[in-house]
Amino acid sequence: MEGNKYEDNRDNEQQNIESAVQEVPLEQSSGESEKKSRLSRLGIVGAIIAFLLKFGKLAVFGKYLLAALKASKFAGTIISMFLTVVIYAQFYGWLFALGFVLVLFVHEMGHYLTSKRIGLDVTAPMFIPFFGAFIGMKEIPRSVREEAITAIGGPAAGALATLICLELYSITHSPYWAGLAYVSAFLNLFNLLPFGPLDGGRITKALSPLLWVLGLVLTIVLIWQLQAYILLLVLIYGVVEIVQMLRNKEKTTQYLEVEPRFRLLIGVSYLLLLAVLAGLMMYSLNISEEFVRSMKN
């Protein structure tokens, strides 16, 4: 009897050891798969970090970088910026791609900061190659006043970015900065077109919705003359919004109410931005001929 008990105990202990040995790899495998899942959600940046984790001293850097991206509200911004730079670099070169994306970033941060300033809950900027960038609105503006303030922040920041590029040109005499100044001025001036989802459409809504008629005509002309077919999206969105405003006249009237003082202030700001950006664009075009020739070559 005692011999049988001893053999049973030995069998039980052996089974426990075997089960424990089998459980360890499963736990490690589970942990590794969880880590791989987290890295896969970060896309190409996650793949780079996973590559770094395999190499000695670089492992520490990779772990801290991964933790920073996970904790940061701007993780999506950093990743989408990186991917956009990589894609644009295949067509325009790394230097111009980086400058172009930074110009877009400054514009979107103008929207982000003005939105936060008036208490709107918005996301950090996100980039979509060949479509631009945007900030997500977690809550819609409560009035046309808030919408106009949020909208004008982008072109205002963009005008500042253009001035910085021109200042760097005056210091370095590099045609690169002149070319980048032109691109910055053009993009921000284009966004002031008074129609639809563009910044100009949001700003002029606080002045008079009738200005959208002018914007509609200009949008159609640009599509027809310049073959700017991406404006078809702006045209469709703007027409849909006009129809919605006409269907909900009572709500639209209430939403568009704004004090005369603010209407004057936003109107003057809008006209000043138009004049400044148009002037900067023409000036930078005149001094960037060398840059344009280098791009063609």
Side-chain angles (χ1 to χ4, degrees):
M1 292 291 291
E2 290 180 358
N4 292 336
K5 288 182 180 179
Y6 176 73
E7 290 178 359
D8 291 341
N9 289 335
R10 287 185 60 187
D11 291 340
N12 291 335
E13 288 177 2
Q14 186 174 356
Q15 290 176 358
N16 291 335
I17 292 172
E18 289 176 354
S19 61
V21 170
Q22 291 175 353
E23 287 175 1
V24 171
L26 289 174
E27 291 177 0
Q28 291 177 346
S29 176
S30 176
E32 289 176 0
S33 63
E34 184 179 352
K35 183 186 292 184
K36 289 180 180 178
S37 176
R38 290 199 301 267
L39 290 173
S40 65
R41 288 197 294 269
L42 291 175
I44 189 170
V45 176
I48 293 172
I49 294 172
F51 178 78
L52 292 175
L53 290 174
K54 296 180 180 179
F55 292 88
K57 294 181 180 180
L58 291 177
V60 177
F61 171 78
K63 288 178 181 178
Y64 278 116
L65 181 58
L66 177 59
L69 284 175
K70 288 175 64 179
S72 174
K73 293 181 180 179
F74 287 84
T77 303
I78 296 169
I79 295 170
S80 61
M81 281 182 70
F82 175 79
L83 292 175
T84 304
V85 169
V86 170
I87 292 172
Y88 283 162
Q90 309 309 309
F91 298 91
Y92 311 113
W94 286 98
L95 190 60
F96 183 75
L98 180 60
F100 181 73
V101 170
L102 286 175
V103 163
L104 288 178
F105 176 73
V106 171
H107 177 97
E108 292 304 321
M109 283 304 296
H111 290 310
Y112 179 83
L113 293 174
T114 50
S115 298
K116 289 293 187 180
R117 179 73 176 177
I118 61 177
L120 288 177
D121 189 10
V122 296
T123 67
M126 293 291 292
F127 290 78
I128 303 177
F130 304 110
F131 284 92
F134 67 95
I135 59 169
M137 307 291 290
K138 293 184 178 180
E139 58 176 322
I140 61 173
R142 293 173 287 271
S143 66
V144 72
R145 183 180 188 277
E146 291 186 348
E147 189 174 356
I149 292 173
T150 300
I152 205 168
L160 179 60
T162 305
L163 288 171
I164 291 174
C165 289
L166 288 174
E167 180 62 23
L168 290 170
Y169 170 78
S170 68
I171 295 172
T172 64
H173 300 289
S174 169
Y176 167 78
W177 294 112
L180 195 59
Y182 171 77
V183 171
S184 176
F186 174 80
L187 286 175
N188 286 280
L189 187 62
F190 170 79
N191 261 287
L192 288 176
L193 185 71
F195 187 69
L198 297 175
D199 296 333
R202 301 305 178 193
I203 297 168
T204 54
K205 195 187 289 186
L207 301 176
S208 172
L210 293 177
L211 288 173
W212 275 35
V213 176
L214 173 62
L216 176 61
V217 173
L218 289 174
T219 302
I220 295 173
V221 170
L222 289 174
I223 294 172
W224 180 261
Q225 294 294 328
L226 302 181
Q227 297 181 344
Y229 296 119
I230 194 171
L231 282 176
L232 286 172
L233 298 176
V234 174
L235 180 64
I236 294 170
Y237 189 99
V239 170
V240 169
E241 188 166 353
I242 290 174
V243 172
Q244 289 177 344
M245 287 192 294
L246 292 175
R247 285 181 176 178
N248 301 283
K249 291 183 179 180
E250 186 175 343
K251 289 183 179 180
T252 300
T253 302
Q254 184 179 359
Y255 181 78
L256 295 178
E257 288 181 357
V258 63
E259 57 272 23
R261 184 174 177 274
F262 177 78
R263 182 175 285 115
L264 176 63
L265 179 63
I266 200 71
V268 170
S269 300
Y270 177 66
L271 292 175
L272 279 175
L273 266 179
L274 282 173
V276 168
L277 286 169
L280 292 175
M281 186 181 74
M282 297 305 297
Y283 174 71
S284 57
L285 179 61
N286 291 332
I287 62 176
S288 62
E289 292 180 356
E290 181 182 346
F291 176 78
V292 173
R293 285 197 298 270
S294 67
M295 288 291 292
K296 290 181 179 180
N297 294 333

